[in-house]
Tab-separated table of all heavy atoms in Angstrom:
chain	number	residue	atom	x	y	z
L	839	THR	N	10.935	-6.615	1.993
L	839	THR	CA	9.656	-7.274	2.237
L	839	THR	C	8.499	-6.294	2.212
L	839	THR	O	7.435	-6.583	1.674
L	839	THR	CB	9.695	-8.005	3.592
L	839	THR	OG1	10.795	-8.899	3.573
L	839	THR	CG2	8.435	-8.775	3.849
L	840	ARG	N	8.674	-5.114	2.796
L	840	ARG	CA	7.583	-4.133	2.844
L	840	ARG	C	7.228	-3.644	1.444
L	840	ARG	O	6.062	-3.520	1.101
L	840	ARG	CB	7.963	-2.959	3.748
L	840	ARG	CG	6.777	-2.083	4.040
L	840	ARG	CD	6.971	-1.203	5.238
L	840	ARG	NE	7.194	-1.875	6.482
L	840	ARG	CZ	6.252	-2.364	7.284
L	840	ARG	NH1	5.001	-2.318	6.923
L	840	ARG	NH2	6.557	-2.907	8.432
L	841	LEU	N	8.232	-3.376	0.625
L	841	LEU	CA	7.971	-2.985	-0.758
L	841	LEU	C	7.213	-4.089	-1.489
L	841	LEU	O	6.281	-3.826	-2.237
L	841	LEU	CB	9.275	-2.703	-1.508
L	841	LEU	CG	9.961	-1.366	-1.259
L	841	LEU	CD1	11.310	-1.339	-1.951
L	841	LEU	CD2	9.105	-0.217	-1.728
L	842	ASN	N	7.628	-5.322	-1.256
L	842	ASN	CA	6.987	-6.457	-1.906
L	842	ASN	C	5.525	-6.583	-1.486
L	842	ASN	O	4.645	-6.785	-2.321
L	842	ASN	CB	7.755	-7.747	-1.598
L	842	ASN	CG	7.297	-8.888	-2.457
L	842	ASN	OD1	7.089	-8.729	-3.654
L	842	ASN	ND2	7.123	-10.040	-1.852
L	843	ARG	N	5.243	-6.453	-0.197
L	843	ARG	CA	3.854	-6.539	0.286
L	843	ARG	C	3.004	-5.424	-0.313
L	843	ARG	O	1.867	-5.653	-0.743
L	843	ARG	CB	3.797	-6.474	1.809
L	843	ARG	CG	4.212	-7.762	2.486
L	843	ARG	CD	3.837	-7.768	3.947
L	843	ARG	NE	4.385	-6.644	4.687
L	843	ARG	CZ	5.355	-6.733	5.598
L	843	ARG	NH1	5.882	-7.896	5.906
L	843	ARG	NH2	5.776	-5.662	6.224
L	844	ALA	N	3.536	-4.225	-0.363
L	844	ALA	CA	2.802	-3.096	-0.927
L	844	ALA	C	2.563	-3.318	-2.426
L	844	ALA	O	1.476	-3.030	-2.934
L	844	ALA	CB	3.557	-1.796	-0.690
L	845	ALA	N	3.550	-3.860	-3.135
L	845	ALA	CA	3.399	-4.125	-4.571
L	845	ALA	C	2.307	-5.162	-4.821
L	845	ALA	O	1.516	-5.030	-5.757
L	845	ALA	CB	4.729	-4.590	-5.168
L	846	VAL	N	2.232	-6.189	-3.992
L	846	VAL	CA	1.198	-7.216	-4.132
L	846	VAL	C	-0.185	-6.599	-3.925
L	846	VAL	O	-1.117	-6.870	-4.692
L	846	VAL	CB	1.439	-8.386	-3.148
L	846	VAL	CG1	0.226	-9.295	-3.047
L	846	VAL	CG2	2.672	-9.177	-3.565
L	847	LEU	N	-0.335	-5.768	-2.908
L	847	LEU	CA	-1.620	-5.110	-2.646
L	847	LEU	C	-2.015	-4.195	-3.798
L	847	LEU	O	-3.177	-4.188	-4.233
L	847	LEU	CB	-1.555	-4.325	-1.338
L	847	LEU	CG	-1.464	-5.167	-0.071
L	847	LEU	CD1	-1.021	-4.312	1.112
L	847	LEU	CD2	-2.792	-5.842	0.218
L	848	ALA	N	-1.062	-3.418	-4.307
L	848	ALA	CA	-1.350	-2.521	-5.429
L	848	ALA	C	-1.738	-3.327	-6.668
L	848	ALA	O	-2.654	-2.935	-7.400
L	848	ALA	CB	-0.140	-1.629	-5.718
L	849	ARG	N	-1.075	-4.439	-6.894
L	849	ARG	CA	-1.398	-5.297	-8.035
L	849	ARG	C	-2.825	-5.841	-7.919
L	849	ARG	O	-3.560	-5.898	-8.894
L	849	ARG	CB	-0.378	-6.437	-8.124
L	849	ARG	CG	-0.064	-6.880	-9.501
L	849	ARG	CD	1.106	-7.839	-9.666
L	849	ARG	NE	1.505	-8.635	-8.527
L	849	ARG	CZ	2.560	-8.386	-7.755
L	849	ARG	NH1	3.340	-7.351	-8.001
L	849	ARG	NH2	2.862	-9.169	-6.745
L	850	LYS	N	-3.225	-6.237	-6.710
L	850	LYS	CA	-4.598	-6.717	-6.494
L	850	LYS	C	-5.609	-5.617	-6.809
L	850	LYS	O	-6.636	-5.866	-7.428
L	850	LYS	CB	-4.790	-7.181	-5.049
L	850	LYS	CG	-4.198	-8.514	-4.737
L	850	LYS	CD	-4.498	-8.891	-3.295
L	850	LYS	CE	-3.803	-10.166	-2.899
L	850	LYS	NZ	-4.025	-10.490	-1.472
L	851	MET	N	-5.311	-4.400	-6.369
L	851	MET	CA	-6.219	-3.285	-6.629
L	851	MET	C	-6.292	-2.972	-8.118
L	851	MET	O	-7.353	-2.632	-8.633
L	851	MET	CB	-5.778	-2.051	-5.842
L	851	MET	CG	-5.990	-2.186	-4.345
L	851	MET	SD	-5.405	-0.757	-3.424
L	851	MET	CE	-6.600	0.472	-3.933
L	852	ALA	N	-5.169	-3.096	-8.816
L	852	ALA	CA	-5.139	-2.828	-10.249
L	852	ALA	C	-5.904	-3.900	-11.029
L	852	ALA	O	-6.382	-3.642	-12.129
L	852	ALA	CB	-3.698	-2.755	-10.748
L	853	GLY	N	-6.030	-5.075	-10.441
L	853	GLY	CA	-6.670	-6.191	-11.119
L	853	GLY	C	-8.178	-6.232	-11.025
L	853	GLY	O	-8.805	-7.136	-11.570
L	854	THR	N	-8.778	-5.273	-10.346
L	854	THR	CA	-10.234	-5.260	-10.234
L	854	THR	C	-10.791	-3.889	-10.585
L	854	THR	O	-10.175	-2.865	-10.274
L	854	THR	CB	-10.717	-5.670	-8.816
L	854	THR	OG1	-12.147	-5.667	-8.800
L	854	THR	CG2	-10.199	-4.740	-7.736
L	855	GLY	N	-11.941	-3.888	-11.218
L	855	GLY	CA	-12.638	-2.645	-11.527
L	855	GLY	C	-13.740	-2.346	-10.530
L	855	GLY	O	-14.523	-1.434	-10.725
L	856	ASN	N	-13.762	-3.114	-9.437
L	856	ASN	CA	-14.794	-2.960	-8.424
L	856	ASN	C	-14.271	-2.053	-7.314
L	856	ASN	O	-13.341	-2.421	-6.587
L	856	ASN	CB	-15.168	-4.344	-7.872
L	856	ASN	CG	-16.271	-4.290	-6.857
L	856	ASN	OD1	-16.225	-3.517	-5.906
L	856	ASN	ND2	-17.260	-5.141	-7.038
L	857	VAL	N	-14.869	-0.874	-7.171
L	857	VAL	CA	-14.373	0.105	-6.199
L	857	VAL	C	-14.477	-0.419	-4.766
L	857	VAL	O	-13.615	-0.114	-3.932
L	857	VAL	CB	-15.056	1.480	-6.382
L	857	VAL	CG1	-16.466	1.481	-5.869
L	857	VAL	CG2	-14.247	2.582	-5.728
L	858	ALA	N	-15.465	-1.231	-4.452
L	858	ALA	CA	-15.589	-1.793	-3.099
L	858	ALA	C	-14.408	-2.726	-2.799
L	858	ALA	O	-13.851	-2.697	-1.698
L	858	ALA	CB	-16.913	-2.535	-2.936
L	859	GLU	N	-14.006	-3.529	-3.778
L	859	GLU	CA	-12.843	-4.405	-3.587
L	859	GLU	C	-11.566	-3.588	-3.467
L	859	GLU	O	-10.685	-3.909	-2.660
L	859	GLU	CB	-12.732	-5.397	-4.750
L	859	GLU	CG	-13.807	-6.460	-4.743
L	859	GLU	CD	-13.686	-7.405	-5.934
L	859	GLU	OE1	-12.564	-7.635	-6.424
L	859	GLU	OE2	-14.739	-7.901	-6.369
L	860	GLN	N	-11.443	-2.541	-4.263
L	860	GLN	CA	-10.270	-1.674	-4.178
L	860	GLN	C	-10.178	-1.043	-2.790
L	860	GLN	O	-9.113	-1.018	-2.181
L	860	GLN	CB	-10.323	-0.596	-5.259
L	860	GLN	CG	-10.164	-1.155	-6.653
L	860	GLN	CD	-10.537	-0.157	-7.730
L	860	GLN	OE1	-11.350	0.755	-7.526
L	860	GLN	NE2	-9.945	-0.321	-8.905
L	861	ARG	N	-11.306	-0.569	-2.308
L	861	ARG	CA	-11.320	0.047	-0.982
L	861	ARG	C	-10.988	-0.960	0.112
L	861	ARG	O	-10.363	-0.611	1.115
L	861	ARG	CB	-12.679	0.692	-0.715
L	861	ARG	CG	-12.878	1.977	-1.479
L	861	ARG	CD	-14.248	2.561	-1.278
L	861	ARG	NE	-14.318	3.911	-1.846
L	861	ARG	CZ	-15.392	4.426	-2.397
L	861	ARG	NH1	-16.520	3.721	-2.452
L	861	ARG	NH2	-15.365	5.649	-2.890
L	862	SER	N	-11.370	-2.216	-0.069
L	862	SER	CA	-11.086	-3.223	0.958
L	862	SER	C	-9.585	-3.500	1.071
L	862	SER	O	-9.107	-3.915	2.127
L	862	SER	CB	-11.855	-4.522	0.681
L	862	SER	OG	-11.303	-5.219	-0.407
L	863	GLN	N	-8.823	-3.256	0.023
L	863	GLN	CA	-7.364	-3.453	0.038
L	863	GLN	C	-6.614	-2.192	0.471
L	863	GLN	O	-5.447	-2.255	0.846
L	863	GLN	CB	-6.867	-3.846	-1.359
L	863	GLN	CG	-7.425	-5.127	-1.895
L	863	GLN	CD	-6.934	-6.329	-1.117
L	863	GLN	OE1	-5.777	-6.387	-0.710
L	863	GLN	NE2	-7.822	-7.277	-0.873
L	864	PHE	N	-7.289	-1.051	0.413
L	864	PHE	CA	-6.609	0.227	0.580
L	864	PHE	C	-6.038	0.448	1.980
L	864	PHE	O	-4.979	1.049	2.126
L	864	PHE	CB	-7.537	1.379	0.176
L	864	PHE	CG	-6.851	2.706	0.082
L	864	PHE	CD1	-5.875	2.927	-0.872
L	864	PHE	CD2	-7.172	3.737	0.940
L	864	PHE	CE1	-5.224	4.140	-0.969
L	864	PHE	CE2	-6.538	4.963	0.862
L	864	PHE	CZ	-5.561	5.159	-0.097
L	865	ASN	N	-6.689	-0.038	3.018
L	865	ASN	CA	-6.167	0.160	4.367
L	865	ASN	C	-4.811	-0.525	4.524
L	865	ASN	O	-3.860	0.071	5.025
L	865	ASN	CB	-7.145	-0.351	5.426
L	865	ASN	CG	-6.659	-0.080	6.836
L	865	ASN	OD1	-6.291	1.043	7.171
L	865	ASN	ND2	-6.634	-1.109	7.667
L	866	ALA	N	-4.718	-1.779	4.090
L	866	ALA	CA	-3.438	-2.506	4.191
L	866	ALA	C	-2.368	-1.813	3.356
L	866	ALA	O	-1.216	-1.678	3.789
L	866	ALA	CB	-3.622	-3.955	3.752
L	867	LEU	N	-2.741	-1.343	2.165
L	867	LEU	CA	-1.792	-0.616	1.326
L	867	LEU	C	-1.327	0.658	2.020
L	867	LEU	O	-0.139	0.976	2.030
L	867	LEU	CB	-2.431	-0.283	-0.022
L	867	LEU	CG	-1.558	0.515	-0.983
L	867	LEU	CD1	-0.337	-0.286	-1.416
L	867	LEU	CD2	-2.367	0.959	-2.189
L	868	SER	N	-2.250	1.371	2.637
L	868	SER	CA	-1.908	2.617	3.347
L	868	SER	C	-0.918	2.360	4.473
L	868	SER	O	0.020	3.136	4.676
L	868	SER	CB	-3.174	3.273	3.898
L	868	SER	OG	-3.992	3.724	2.849
L	869	LEU	N	-1.117	1.278	5.207
L	869	LEU	CA	-0.200	0.947	6.306
L	869	LEU	C	1.207	0.651	5.793
L	869	LEU	O	2.198	1.065	6.404
L	869	LEU	CB	-0.748	-0.233	7.111
L	869	LEU	CG	-2.048	0.047	7.869
L	869	LEU	CD1	-2.598	-1.250	8.470
L	869	LEU	CD2	-1.844	1.105	8.936
L	870	GLU	N	1.301	-0.049	4.669
L	870	GLU	CA	2.617	-0.355	4.089
L	870	GLU	C	3.298	0.907	3.578
L	870	GLU	O	4.492	1.124	3.809
L	870	GLU	CB	2.482	-1.383	2.960
L	870	GLU	CG	1.982	-2.737	3.391
L	870	GLU	CD	2.891	-3.466	4.370
L	870	GLU	OE1	4.101	-3.171	4.435
L	870	GLU	OE2	2.375	-4.342	5.091
L	871	VAL	N	2.549	1.763	2.884
L	871	VAL	CA	3.123	3.008	2.365
L	871	VAL	C	3.531	3.929	3.516
L	871	VAL	O	4.590	4.560	3.478
L	871	VAL	CB	2.146	3.709	1.387
L	871	VAL	CG1	2.636	5.107	1.017
L	871	VAL	CG2	1.950	2.854	0.142
L	872	GLU	N	2.730	3.967	4.562
L	872	GLU	CA	3.085	4.776	5.737
L	872	GLU	C	4.429	4.326	6.318
L	872	GLU	O	5.289	5.151	6.638
L	872	GLU	CB	2.006	4.656	6.806
L	872	GLU	CG	2.346	5.386	8.089
L	872	GLU	CD	1.366	5.120	9.218
L	872	GLU	OE1	0.321	4.469	8.990
L	872	GLU	OE2	1.660	5.567	10.343
L	873	ALA	N	4.610	3.030	6.468
L	873	ALA	CA	5.871	2.503	7.014
L	873	ALA	C	7.054	2.858	6.111
L	873	ALA	O	8.137	3.199	6.606
L	873	ALA	CB	5.768	0.994	7.207
L	874	LEU	N	6.855	2.809	4.803
L	874	LEU	CA	7.923	3.182	3.871
L	874	LEU	C	8.282	4.654	4.027
L	874	LEU	O	9.453	5.023	4.046
L	874	LEU	CB	7.485	2.916	2.426
L	874	LEU	CG	7.368	1.461	2.012
L	874	LEU	CD1	6.674	1.347	0.662
L	874	LEU	CD2	8.740	0.798	1.966
L	875	ILE	N	7.280	5.488	4.152
L	875	ILE	CA	7.509	6.927	4.290
L	875	ILE	C	8.222	7.241	5.601
L	875	ILE	O	9.143	8.052	5.644
L	875	ILE	CB	6.181	7.698	4.175
L	875	ILE	CG1	5.727	7.678	2.717
L	875	ILE	CG2	6.306	9.125	4.695
L	875	ILE	CD1	4.349	8.204	2.488
L	876	LYS	N	7.815	6.584	6.662
L	876	LYS	CA	8.415	6.863	7.969
L	876	LYS	C	9.886	6.477	8.040
L	876	LYS	O	10.642	7.059	8.806
L	876	LYS	CB	7.628	6.155	9.075
L	876	LYS	CG	6.335	6.861	9.403
L	876	LYS	CD	5.627	6.211	10.567
L	876	LYS	CE	4.440	7.027	11.011
L	876	LYS	NZ	3.744	6.418	12.152
L	877	ARG	N	10.304	5.512	7.251
L	877	ARG	CA	11.717	5.124	7.302
L	877	ARG	C	12.555	5.828	6.242
L	877	ARG	O	13.769	5.708	6.214
L	877	ARG	CB	11.861	3.621	7.204
L	877	ARG	CG	11.631	3.048	5.855
L	877	ARG	CD	11.899	1.568	5.843
L	877	ARG	NE	12.060	1.148	4.462
L	877	ARG	CZ	11.925	-0.066	4.054
L	877	ARG	NH1	11.654	-1.024	4.904
L	877	ARG	NH2	12.080	-0.367	2.797
L	878	ALA	N	11.897	6.581	5.349
L	878	ALA	CA	12.609	7.307	4.297
L	878	ALA	C	13.204	8.594	4.860
L	878	ALA	O	12.736	9.129	5.860
L	878	ALA	CB	11.663	7.618	3.149
L	879	ASP	N	14.216	9.083	4.185
L	879	ASP	CA	14.866	10.327	4.576
L	879	ASP	C	14.246	11.482	3.789
L	879	ASP	O	14.787	11.945	2.791
L	879	ASP	CB	16.368	10.229	4.307
L	879	ASP	CG	17.127	11.413	4.852
L	879	ASP	OD1	16.610	12.094	5.752
L	879	ASP	OD2	18.250	11.657	4.360
L	880	ILE	N	13.081	11.921	4.250
L	880	ILE	CA	12.361	12.995	3.576
L	880	ILE	C	12.672	14.303	4.299
L	880	ILE	O	12.591	14.381	5.514
L	880	ILE	CB	10.845	12.711	3.560
L	880	ILE	CG1	10.597	11.410	2.794
L	880	ILE	CG2	10.094	13.867	2.934
L	880	ILE	CD1	9.180	10.923	2.848
L	881	GLU	N	13.019	15.320	3.522
L	881	GLU	CA	13.520	16.554	4.115
L	881	GLU	C	12.488	17.659	4.261
L	881	GLU	O	12.702	18.604	5.008
L	881	GLU	CB	14.707	17.055	3.286
L	881	GLU	CG	15.862	16.068	3.308
L	881	GLU	CD	16.996	16.496	2.405
L	881	GLU	OE1	16.927	17.605	1.842
L	881	GLU	OE2	17.953	15.730	2.284
L	882	SER	N	11.373	17.589	3.538
L	882	SER	CA	10.402	18.681	3.645
L	882	SER	C	9.000	18.170	3.363
L	882	SER	O	8.802	17.080	2.837
L	882	SER	CB	10.743	19.803	2.659
L	882	SER	OG	10.584	19.357	1.335
């Protein structure tokens, strides 16, 4: 579900050339990517 939500947000950002609209989606995208990173097994 988290990957899916992040993909939808990224798709919305890709669909507009308006930087203000892109920025309005970026916080939600950042939260989803943060959650993915925190649950990943990253070593360094």
Side-chain angles (χ1 to χ4, degrees):
T839 304
R840 192 161 299 277
L841 282 173
N842 191 43
R843 284 193 304 250
V846 167
L847 291 164
R849 213 170 23 257
K850 283 182 186 176
M851 290 178 69
T854 182
N856 182 310
V857 75
E859 289 179 30
Q860 292 166 333
R861 286 176 170 146
S862 73
Q863 299 292 322
F864 190 65
N865 183 51
L867 178 65
S868 293
L869 294 172
E870 296 297 338
V871 171
E872 176 188 353
L874 290 169
I875 287 171
K876 283 184 172 181
R877 74 176 197 200
D879 187 21
I880 299 173
E881 297 175 5
S882 66

